[in-house]
Amino acid sequence: MTLSPYTGAGSAHDPANCSACLRALRELVRARRRGCGLDNNKRRHGVRRRRRQADANRQRHRDEDTQNKMERKCIYVKYTQNLKNLVRNAEGEDSSAQTERPKTLFEEIRASVRHSDEQDRSFWRPVLPWGGVYTIKAGRKAISCTPLYVKINLNNTCTIDGFLMLLYVILRENETFPREVSVYLGKEFIEHFLFLMDSYNYTTVKLLWIWDKMDKRQYRSQIHRAALEIDLFGNEHENFTKNLENLMATLQESFCTSWDCPARLQESLQWTININPPHGMPHGDLIQSAVDEFFCPKIVLCKEMGCDGQRELSQRIFCHGPPPFVILNMQLWKSEELAYIPYYLALSDRRYLLEGATLFNKEEHHYSAAFQIDGCWMHYDGLRSNNLVLLNKPPELLLLSSLVYIRATEK
């Protein structure tokens, strides 16, 4: 009798062979289970590693955000309690000195001008010196932030120093101007600014301007050896003029004659007064002509895409009426074009008087300022030891960065 191929010895149904197959299957299952276990462990370790990395990234981002916002969290926020503490600290330190020195800084400068002689024409002490160091006194309520800094160093402050000096002289010399300028810069800011200048707290004055008026993107800051380094290197019109809120805001409307113009009605709003040198050599005063060109109505070709019409520009006007003072940006002018500087300026149906100017040294990339007190010119340069000097004659305004005019009193 022949054996069936399905039941005989050596077939798959042979009991011995079946046992061997079962053992092989069990080993295979165990091996796969071990492999899956290793894979699962690898997956779990990979997930944990990625989670740790994500947590580390989030922590790093939080640290960076903390570092970028440490001024706001620790001292800086617009008129927060910490910023007021700076002013209160200055008030406390100067409370005794106020009884001994009732005069304001402006009154002392004016007195020095009246009693000056040829041998000594500089003010008796430095005023608003370049840079600045502010030390934070750590006590029971020490600043708690990461990283910790206990000192603030200011560098390249000439981009705001000259204008801060001019602003102080303008506000102290004209009784009604502090109230008017308060509408734009804030009453509390003006009060703190004048008090700090009169108390010789010049570093705090600069911090007040930086943290209250400037945007974080307008300066560079970093922590270095437990000190906050603030660098104001740049352009004074970016750091000061553009931060005067809407004090010099002007509006000009325009209308295109073409019905096919995609934007027939337009409004041009500008926050500063940038005057360009006039083309050719117009008769009369060049600066007055440039100001008239900036404010006067005119007809120009429309610049809209596909439009061949003419655009009629209306008279440019101040959005909030004639301001107490104006700053003319003169950066585009060459020295040979400024042989004559007008002491009077007709602007928006009002008369403005020359108060001062800021000067720019291209070789040193440094700003200084000149201004008038009682008809006498003074030169301010924060880098000098005697940084406020009475001049024998009006300065030669050859390296002009700006001209500052104040509104004349109506009679």
Side-chain angles (χ1 to χ4, degrees), residues 63-211:
D63 292 342
E64 291 175 356
D65 292 340
T66 301
Q67 183 172 350
N68 292 334
K69 297 176 182 179
M70 69 181 70
E71 297 100 313
R72 293 174 173 85
K73 289 186 177 180
C74 300
I75 297 179
Y76 159 65
V77 168
K78 187 176 182 177
Y79 281 121
T80 59
Q81 190 64 33
N82 291 321
L83 183 55
K84 293 179 181 179
N85 286 339
L86 293 179
V87 181
R88 276 203 292 268
N89 291 339
E91 290 174 351
E93 293 172 358
D94 196 64
S95 59
S96 60
Q98 277 191 335
T99 59
E100 300 171 3
R101 181 180 45 80
K103 289 185 178 180
T104 64
L105 172 63
F106 178 77
E107 291 170 339
E108 292 196 2
I109 295 175
R110 172 177 276 173
S112 71
V113 170
R114 292 174 178 173
H115 299 92
S116 64
D117 52 38
E118 292 299 326
Q119 284 72 29
D120 186 10
R121 303 182 66 84
S122 61
F123 190 58
W124 66 277
R125 65 175 296 167
V127 177
L128 209 66
W130 184 93
V133 177
Y134 186 90
T135 302
I136 300 170
K137 297 179 180 179
R140 295 182 61 185
K141 295 182 179 179
I143 297 174
S144 57
C145 63
T146 304
L148 174 70
Y149 60 90
V150 295
K151 187 170 65 172
I152 303 174
N153 295 329
L154 302 181
N155 297 314
N156 296 310
T157 59
C158 66
T159 56
I160 64 173
D161 290 344
F163 275 130
L164 290 177
M165 190 70 218
L166 284 167
L167 177 62
Y168 173 76
V169 172
I170 290 172
L171 294 177
R172 279 299 186 212
E173 196 172 25
N174 303 272
E175 294 182 357
T176 62
F177 282 7
R179 178 177 52 82
E180 290 189 57
V181 179
S182 296
V183 175
Y184 305 98
L185 302 184
K187 180 181 178 182
E188 196 170 7
F189 172 85
I190 295 299
E191 291 176 351
H192 289 171
F193 172 75
L194 293 175
F195 170 79
L196 292 171
M197 287 292 293
D198 290 333
S199 305
Y200 304 148
N201 287 288
Y202 300 125
T203 301
T204 314
V205 167
K206 300 177 187 184
L207 289 174
L208 180 68
W209 178 264
I210 294 169
W211 286 339

Side-chain angles (χ1 to χ4, degrees), residues 103 132 190 204 285 311 317 329:
K103 289 185 178 180
I190 295 299
T204 314
D285 179 11
R311 184 164 293 277
I317 60 173
N329 189 333

Side-chain angles (χ1 to χ4, degrees), residues 347-397:
L347 186 61
S348 188
D349 298 328
R350 296 296 299 270
R351 194 184 193 205
Y352 281 77
L353 312 177
L354 180 64
E355 178 72 4
T358 59
L359 314 174
F360 180 62
N361 188 323
K362 292 183 179 180
E363 295 180 357
E364 300 178 358
H365 199 92
H366 176 63
Y367 292 94
S368 60
F371 57 89
Q372 295 187 80
I373 290 184
D374 296 338
C376 299
W377 280 93
M378 302 197 75
H379 182 250
Y380 161 79
D381 187 344
L383 277 178
R384 297 182 181 180
S385 55
N386 297 325
N387 60 15
L388 193 58
V389 180
L390 179 64
L391 301 178
N392 290 316
K393 59 181 181 179
E396 297 180 0
L397 305 178

Side-chain angles (χ1 to χ4, degrees), residues 125-334:
R125 65 175 296 167
V127 177
L128 209 66
W130 184 93
V133 177
Y134 186 90
T135 302
I136 300 170
K137 297 179 180 179
R140 295 182 61 185
K141 295 182 179 179
I143 297 174
S144 57
C145 63
T146 304
L148 174 70
Y149 60 90
V150 295
K151 187 170 65 172
I152 303 174
N153 295 329
L154 302 181
N155 297 314
N156 296 310
T157 59
C158 66
T159 56
I160 64 173
D161 290 344
F163 275 130
L164 290 177
M165 190 70 218
L166 284 167
L167 177 62
Y168 173 76
V169 172
I170 290 172
L171 294 177
R172 279 299 186 212
E173 196 172 25
N174 303 272
E175 294 182 357
T176 62
F177 282 7
R179 178 177 52 82
E180 290 189 57
V181 179
S182 296
V183 175
Y184 305 98
L185 302 184
K187 180 181 178 182
E188 196 170 7
F189 172 85
I190 295 299
E191 291 176 351
H192 289 171
F193 172 75
L194 293 175
F195 170 79
L196 292 171
M197 287 292 293
D198 290 333
S199 305
Y200 304 148
N201 287 288
Y202 300 125
T203 301
T204 314
V205 167
K206 300 177 187 184
L207 289 174
L208 180 68
W209 178 264
I210 294 169
W211 286 339
D212 191 76
K213 298 304 174 188
M214 293 182 66
D215 188 271
K216 182 66 173 64
R217 294 169 294 182
Q218 291 180 307
Y219 60 88
R220 293 174 293 278
S221 62
Q222 63 176 351
I223 299 295
H224 180 66
R225 294 182 179 178
L228 174 63
E229 306 277 352
I230 297 179
D231 189 353
L232 298 181
F233 183 86
N235 183 284
E236 66 174 357
H237 291 287
E238 294 290 332
N239 291 348
F240 188 89
T241 312
K242 290 187 177 181
N243 296 314
L244 289 172
E245 307 295 339
N246 51 3
L247 185 143
M248 295 185 294
T250 58
L251 177 67
Q252 187 173 48
E253 297 177 340
S254 64
F255 174 79
C256 184
T257 57
S258 174
W259 286 93
D260 298 326
C261 181
R264 295 193 69 193
L265 294 175
Q266 293 182 3
E267 291 183 348
S268 172
L269 182 64
Q270 294 197 23
W271 305 100
T272 59
I273 302 177
N274 302 322
I275 59 173
N276 299 317
H279 300 290
M281 295 296 292
H283 298 289
D285 179 11
L286 296 182
I287 294 179
Q288 182 67 66
S289 299
V291 170
D292 293 340
E293 178 70 18
F294 180 78
F295 281 91
C296 72
K298 57 182 76 71
I299 298 178
V300 297
L301 294 176
C302 185
K303 297 181 180 179
E304 293 296 322
M305 183 69 69
C307 180
D308 56 357
Q310 291 184 326
R311 184 164 293 277
E312 299 178 1
L313 283 75
S314 67
Q315 175 82 26
R316 182 176 290 276
I317 60 173
F318 285 106
C319 297
H320 306 283
F325 66 89
V326 295
I327 299 175
L328 305 184
N329 189 333
M330 305 293 295
Q331 293 181 117
L332 297 179
W333 292 66
K334 299 178 181 179

